Amino acid sequence: MRSENEASGQKGRSFIEEARRAQIVASAVEVIAEVGFAHASLARIAKHAGISKGVISYHFGSKDELMEEVVGRVYSTIGEHVAEKMAGLRTATEMIRTHVRSVAEHMRGHRAQLIALGEIFYNLRTADNTPRYGINASEEIFRAMEEVYRLGQESGEFREFDRRVMAITHSSAIDAMFAYWVANPEHDLDAHASELADLIERACRQ
Amino acid sequence: MRSENEASGQKGRSFIEEARRAQIVASAVEVIAEVGFAHASLARIAKHAGISKGVISYHFGSKDELMEEVVGRVYSTIGEHVAEKMAGLRTATEMIRTHVRSVAEHMRGHRAQLIALGEIFYNLRTADNTPRYGINASEEIFRAMEEVYRLGQESGEFREFDRRVMAITHSSAIDAMFAYWVANPEHDLDAHASELADLIERACRQ
Amino acid sequence: MRSENEASGQKGRSFIEEARRAQIVASAVEVIAEVGFAHASLARIAKHAGISKGVISYHFGSKDELMEEVVGRVYSTIGEHVAEKMAGLRTATEMIRTHVRSVAEHMRGHRAQLIALGEIFYNLRTADNTPRYGINASEEIFRAMEEVYRLGQESGEFREFDRRVMAITHSSAIDAMFAYWVANPEHDLDAHASELADLIERACRQ
Amino acid sequence: MRSENEASGQKGRSFIEEARRAQIVASAVEVIAEVGFAHASLARIAKHAGISKGVISYHFGSKDELMEEVVGRVYSTIGEHVAEKMAGLRTATEMIRTHVRSVAEHMRGHRAQLIALGEIFYNLRTADNTPRYGINASEEIFRAMEEVYRLGQESGEFREFDRRVMAITHSSAIDAMFAYWVANPEHDLDAHASELADLIERACRQ
DNA sequence: CATGAATGAGCATTCATTCAT
DNA sequence: CATGAATGAATGCTCATTCAT
């Protein structure tokens, strides 16, 4: 068996092994998005991928490990897209608008990933049955956002406010935008993102 | 067996039956809050309540029915508290501040209920595997919020903005405030609520 | 508690007790006919009768005892009707025709009883899990039929044949006639009975 | 898991899988014959086979599917034997005698199969609680028998009579012969079959 | 590397029966 | 007499995991 505990790194993995892992992760995303975390059994994921259950066990030490890889892959894909869009921005105001709109823009083409991510975040638990992710897994994001707010406050763009509360609110507003869009696919995601950027900007500025 | 189709009414229920139902609902809340929706089996709930599994089946037609009763009870408790606090308010600004702060005030004493409600909302599915609640179950709340915003806009307190986007954002900000507090019990819920009320007010006003 | 082991007798039973038992038996017949033996729970029978489960337990020592009473009552009703029709007949040929046709005539108006009887016969088992009725419960009937055949053989109406085989065949032919009619309600029961009487007569006669 | 929707075919089944299925079916037959349909739980069948409960679920999609496979296998075994014996017969009279005697001959060595078949026929129900087999499942047999009678009538061997009534009677007489033998193992099955063939012949002929 | 097979624990639900009131 | 409440065993089924080949 391979895959001990290398999280998202791809250290010693052969090309073919990497391909299998990617295929399985993709299947997991689609199955979770379709039937929900609770009904996404390894059997279903394997069937969807056209492989046998054993393959999954071979490449991933456990179901939990597979789930964590799903989160890792989806997360970094989003991060890459957003980072690219935000590169070179100067003002905090621009950064915030760009953040909201670029993440919306990206998720519009990755609906299944969005749903799967939420399902896993909300449901995955560690062996001692405490939530594996949950809101505290966003600490890194909160920190990054707070940094932007601090920037804006220092530059005089923003008034003084509690940056942690703002980060939590900002983050949840984006999540809710997606959740609403997932439940109502005809909802105009980009318009919502623009409007939301306005709200945040107004809440922040002097 | 009882419990036909009386939803939340307590028409034909004897005192003792009502007490048992309440006891079982309370157990369900605590177990769900502790181990999560997925691991909250009837066996565990019964054990927690110190009764046999069959009792639950006797008083509730199905597990789903029990879950819906949990939602119903928790929901109406919250609703009563908030409604009381908001009675008699005049301006939209006051209403919004009061809403945010009164719901925070109430949930501070009902942590398990808060968690259980979220778990069920996110996880309960109907027989055809579509989400039973999910964000669309908040439609009623969105409508009520939109009405307040409309009021504020008409009175000139608020500027023009997309009321639906605001309602989604407002609602999710409250949920996130609670989620953060649940994960970080030392977090100052009331301070967060005040700060959040400020944010919303600033986002709304002219 | 009453009702020890009095089978079908009504020795020490009060009028009201007798009425309750009859009501419960009638409900049992209808429920069994409708949903089958396996799904005819005491709860369903009680609900159908508009009484509580406890009443049944009070009047019948066990579910099995109720089932046996159903058989007893239905059986004796049929017996009475047939006996009446056959009284005074002289020739074995007449007796056989009359038997087939009178039982058909009677069951035509008692479809539920017919079905319930079959369900119980086929499914009820004693505590040691051996069939309670089954084909050996028909011994009495076989004996009576054999007596008629012997009569016919002695009178010269009938040829020599194995009377036990004839009794089994005769009896099963009637049961099958009913089973076919139950499954195909448009089937002409009386015509079938006449035709069957012909078949038996031809098989018997010189 | 296998077993999608291949009915009785053995298309994609490996040797080992086929063996397991056969073993499980054999166990089911024996358990049903011994304790009756109602008490033949998957647990008991698995225990009898010396395997875990899960194995049955692995090889059969549901208990109903297993039951239907039991019926299919037993049925086709009987059919093969009888068809072989009847090949090449000319007169309807010969056919009828041969049918009755060959099926008796075969079942004499397959008592458990006989009982299990009856139990399933009588008790298995579809999801909507209507009988899965029952007498109407014999339609094919009735049709085949009617064809033989028609042959005999056209050839002048047989008189005119209602072929459907005759088929029902003929079929039930065989079933009853078996039922009597099952309940009374010392009963001479072959003699009964011969006598029964006589009865049918006499009922049919001019 | 990959598979199919098997395990055994856990699940929601049904039910006959018992019993205090 | 009658009731509603409670019990605990049993049922069919799902599933992550293990393992020989």
Side-chain angles (χ1 to χ4, degrees):
Chain A
M1 215 241 289
R2 265 348 209 10
S3 86
E4 312 278 83
N5 237 352
E6 317 173 14
S8 61
Q10 67 241 59
K11 264 194 316 189
R13 278 201 263 282
S14 72
F15 172 75
I16 182 164
E17 186 170 357
E18 193 53 40
R20 265 279 193 252
R21 286 176 72 96
Q23 176 199 16
I24 293 167
V25 166
S27 264
V29 165
E30 282 159 35
V31 171
I32 294 169
E34 196 187 328
V35 304
F37 184 88
H39 295 101
S41 65
L42 290 187
R44 247 197 267 241
I45 293 168
K47 189 175 195 173
H48 184 98
I51 58 180
S52 90
K53 260 188 309 178
V55 187
I56 299 180
S57 295
Y58 179 79
H59 288 283
F60 296 91
S62 68
K63 189 185 185 182
D64 287 1
E65 197 187 309
L66 167 58
M67 293 296 133
E68 295 187 2
E69 176 114 355
V70 169
V71 170
R73 297 212 178 208
V74 172
Y75 234 65
S76 50
T77 312
I78 299 172
E80 281 166 25
H81 179 90
V82 173
E84 187 185 318
K85 294 288 180 182
M86 295 191 61
L89 296 183
R90 292 289 162 81
T91 69
T93 309
E94 275 179 320
M95 287 179 185
I96 280 171
R97 293 202 78 86
T98 305
H99 174 243
V100 174
R101 298 171 76 162
S102 68
V103 73
E105 180 185 84
H106 179 256
M107 294 328 289
R108 189 149 39 78
H110 299 81
R111 205 161 166 271
Q113 290 192 5
L114 180 64
I115 299 171
L117 197 61
E119 289 282 323
I120 299 174
F121 253 74
Y122 212 93
N123 287 297
L124 191 63
R125 295 184 166 232
T126 59
D128 63 351
N129 205 29
T130 56
R132 171 70 180 78
Y133 297 102
I135 203 163
N136 278 342
S138 305
E139 183 59 29
E140 203 184 335
I141 292 179
F142 293 159
R143 291 256 169 77
M145 285 174 164
E146 285 169 341
E147 191 54 28
V148 175
Y149 302 138
R150 206 187 44 74
L151 220 75
Q153 287 172 332
E154 287 178 355
S155 74
E157 292 169 78
F158 297 163
R159 63 182 179 90
E160 281 302 312
F161 52 75
D162 184 313
R163 293 187 290 273
R164 177 54 49 127
V165 168
M166 182 63 84
I168 294 168
T169 305
H170 178 162
S171 175
S172 75
I174 290 173
D175 292 346
M177 169 178 71
F178 289 138
Y180 193 82
W181 167 66
V182 163
N184 305 277
E186 78 295 345
H187 186 62
D188 186 336
L189 192 56
D190 294 328
H192 187 135
S194 283
E195 182 81 15
L196 176 56
D198 285 353
L199 297 187
I200 296 173
E201 197 188 323
R202 284 177 182 271
C204 287
R205 74 182 179 203
Q206 295 284 6
Chain B
M1 211 243 293
R2 272 341 216 10
S3 86
E4 309 278 85
N5 239 351
E6 319 174 14
S8 60
Q10 65 245 55
K11 250 192 337 180
R13 277 203 262 282
S14 69
F15 172 74
I16 177 163
E17 182 171 4
E18 193 54 41
R20 262 284 190 251
R21 285 176 73 97
Q23 177 201 15
I24 292 167
V25 165
S27 257
V29 164
E30 283 159 35
V31 171
I32 294 169
E34 194 187 329
V35 303
F37 182 89
H39 296 97
S41 66
L42 292 187
R44 245 199 265 241
I45 294 169
K47 192 173 193 174
H48 183 99
I51 57 179
S52 91
K53 253 191 319 175
V55 185
I56 299 180
S57 293
Y58 179 77
H59 288 283
F60 295 91
S62 68
K63 189 184 185 183
D64 287 2
E65 194 188 309
L66 167 58
M67 293 298 135
E68 296 189 2
E69 176 116 355
V70 169
V71 170
R73 296 211 181 207
V74 173
Y75 231 67
S76 52
T77 312
I78 299 171
E80 280 166 26
H81 179 90
V82 173
E84 187 185 319
K85 294 289 178 181
M86 296 191 61
L89 297 184
R90 290 288 162 84
T91 71
T93 309
E94 276 179 319
M95 287 178 185
I96 281 171
R97 291 202 79 85
T98 304
H99 175 243
V100 174
R101 298 170 78 163
S102 68
V103 72
E105 181 184 86
H106 179 257
M107 294 328 288
R108 190 151 34 79
H110 299 82
R111 207 165 163 268
Q113 290 191 6
L114 181 63
I115 301 171
L117 196 62
E119 288 282 323
I120 298 174
F121 253 75
Y122 206 91
N123 288 298
L124 190 62
R125 294 182 170 234
T126 59
D128 62 354
N129 204 32
T130 55
R132 171 68 178 79
Y133 297 103
I135 202 165
N136 278 340
S138 305
E139 184 59 28
E140 204 184 335
I141 291 180
F142 292 158
R143 291 256 170 77
M145 286 173 162
E146 286 169 341
E147 191 53 29
V148 175
Y149 303 139
R150 208 187 44 73
L151 220 75
Q153 288 173 331
E154 287 178 355
S155 73
E157 292 170 77
F158 297 162
R159 62 184 180 90
E160 281 303 311
F161 52 76
D162 184 315
R163 293 186 291 269
R164 176 54 51 125
V165 169
M166 181 63 83
I168 294 168
T169 304
H170 178 163
S171 174
S172 76
I174 291 173
D175 292 347
M177 168 178 72
F178 288 137
Y180 193 83
W181 166 68
V182 163
N184 303 278
E186 80 293 348
H187 186 62
D188 186 336
L189 193 55
D190 293 328
H192 188 135
S194 282
E195 182 78 16
L196 177 56
D198 285 352
L199 298 187
I200 296 173
E201 196 187 323
R202 283 176 184 272
C204 289
R205 74 183 178 202
Q206 294 286 4
Chain C
M1 213 242 291
R2 266 345 212 10
S3 85
E4 311 280 83
N5 236 353
E6 319 174 12
S8 59
Q10 66 242 57
K11 264 196 316 191
R13 279 201 261 283
S14 72
F15 172 73
I16 182 164
E17 185 170 358
E18 194 53 39
R20 264 280 192 249
R21 288 176 71 97
Q23 176 200 18
I24 293 167
V25 165
S27 264
V29 164
E30 281 158 36
V31 171
I32 294 169
E34 196 185 328
V35 304
F37 184 88
H39 295 100
S41 65
L42 290 187
R44 246 198 267 242
I45 293 168
K47 190 176 195 172
H48 184 99
I51 57 180
S52 89
K53 260 189 311 178
V55 187
I56 299 181
S57 294
Y58 179 79
H59 288 283
F60 296 91
S62 68
K63 190 186 187 184
D64 287 1
E65 196 187 310
L66 166 58
M67 292 298 134
E68 296 188 1
E69 175 114 356
V70 170
V71 170
R73 297 213 179 206
V74 173
Y75 233 66
S76 51
T77 313
I78 299 172
E80 281 165 25
H81 178 90
V82 173
E84 186 186 318
K85 293 290 180 179
M86 294 190 62
L89 296 183
R90 290 290 161 82
T91 69
T93 309
E94 275 180 321
M95 287 177 185
I96 281 172
R97 293 202 79 86
T98 304
H99 174 244
V100 173
R101 299 170 77 163
S102 67
V103 73
E105 180 185 85
H106 179 255
M107 294 327 289
R108 190 150 37 78
H110 297 82
R111 207 162 164 269
Q113 291 192 3
L114 181 62
I115 299 171
L117 196 60
E119 289 283 322
I120 299 175
F121 253 74
Y122 212 92
N123 287 297
L124 191 62
R125 294 185 167 232
T126 59
D128 63 353
N129 205 31
T130 55
R132 171 69 179 79
Y133 296 103
I135 202 163
N136 278 341
S138 305
E139 183 60 28
E140 203 184 336
I141 292 180
F142 292 159
R143 291 255 169 79
M145 284 174 164
E146 285 170 340
E147 190 55 29
V148 175
Y149 302 138
R150 206 186 45 72
L151 220 74
Q153 288 172 330
E154 286 179 354
S155 75
E157 292 169 77
F158 297 163
R159 64 183 177 89
E160 281 302 311
F161 52 75
D162 185 312
R163 291 186 291 271
R164 177 54 50 126
V165 169
M166 181 63 83
I168 294 168
T169 305
H170 177 162
S171 174
S172 76
I174 290 172
D175 292 347
M177 168 178 73
F178 288 138
Y180 192 83
W181 167 65
V182 163
N184 304 278
E186 79 292 348
H187 185 63
D188 186 337
L189 192 56
D190 293 329
H192 188 134
S194 283
E195 182 79 16
L196 177 55
D198 285 352
L199 297 186
I200 297 173
E201 196 188 325
R202 282 175 185 273
C204 288
R205 75 184 179 200
Q206 295 285 3
Chain D
M1 213 245 291
R2 274 339 218 10
S3 85
E4 308 279 83
N5 239 350
E6 319 174 11
S8 60
Q10 67 245 56
K11 252 193 333 184
R13 277 204 261 282
S14 70
F15 172 75
I16 178 164
E17 182 170 3
E18 193 54 40
R20 260 285 189 254
R21 285 177 73 95
Q23 178 201 13
I24 292 167
V25 166
S27 257
V29 164
E30 283 159 34
V31 171
I32 294 169
E34 195 186 329
V35 304
F37 182 89
H39 296 96
S41 66
L42 292 187
R44 245 199 267 242
I45 293 168
K47 192 173 194 176
H48 183 98
I51 57 180
S52 93
K53 254 191 317 175
V55 186
I56 300 181
S57 294
Y58 178 75
H59 289 283
F60 295 91
S62 68
K63 190 185 186 184
D64 286 2
E65 195 188 309
L66 167 57
M67 293 298 136
E68 295 188 2
E69 176 116 355
V70 169
V71 170
R73 296 210 180 207
V74 173
Y75 232 67
S76 52
T77 312
I78 299 172
E80 281 166 25
H81 179 89
V82 172
E84 187 185 316
K85 294 289 179 180
M86 294 191 63
L89 296 184
R90 290 289 162 81
T91 69
T93 309
E94 276 180 319
M95 288 178 185
I96 281 173
R97 293 202 78 86
T98 304
H99 175 244
V100 174
R101 298 170 77 162
S102 69
V103 73
E105 182 183 83
H106 179 255
M107 294 327 289
R108 189 149 36 80
H110 298 83
R111 205 162 164 270
Q113 290 192 4
L114 180 64
I115 301 171
L117 195 62
E119 288 282 323
I120 298 174
F121 253 73
Y122 207 92
N123 287 299
L124 190 62
R125 295 182 168 231
T126 59
D128 62 353
N129 204 32
T130 56
R132 171 68 179 78
Y133 297 103
I135 202 163
N136 278 341
S138 304
E139 183 59 27
E140 205 185 333
I141 291 179
F142 292 159
R143 290 257 170 78
M145 284 174 163
E146 286 168 341
E147 192 52 30
V148 175
Y149 303 138
R150 206 187 43 75
L151 220 76
Q153 288 172 332
E154 285 179 357
S155 74
E157 292 169 77
F158 297 163
R159 63 183 179 90
E160 282 303 312
F161 52 76
D162 184 313
R163 292 186 292 269
R164 177 53 51 126
V165 168
M166 181 64 82
I168 294 168
T169 304
H170 178 163
S171 175
S172 75
I174 290 172
D175 293 347
M177 169 177 73
F178 289 137
Y180 193 82
W181 167 66
V182 162
N184 304 278
E186 79 294 346
H187 185 62
D188 186 336
L189 192 55
D190 293 327
H192 188 134
S194 282
E195 181 80 15
L196 177 56
D198 285 351
L199 297 186
I200 296 173
E201 197 187 323
R202 282 176 185 272
C204 287
R205 75 183 178 200
Q206 294 285 3

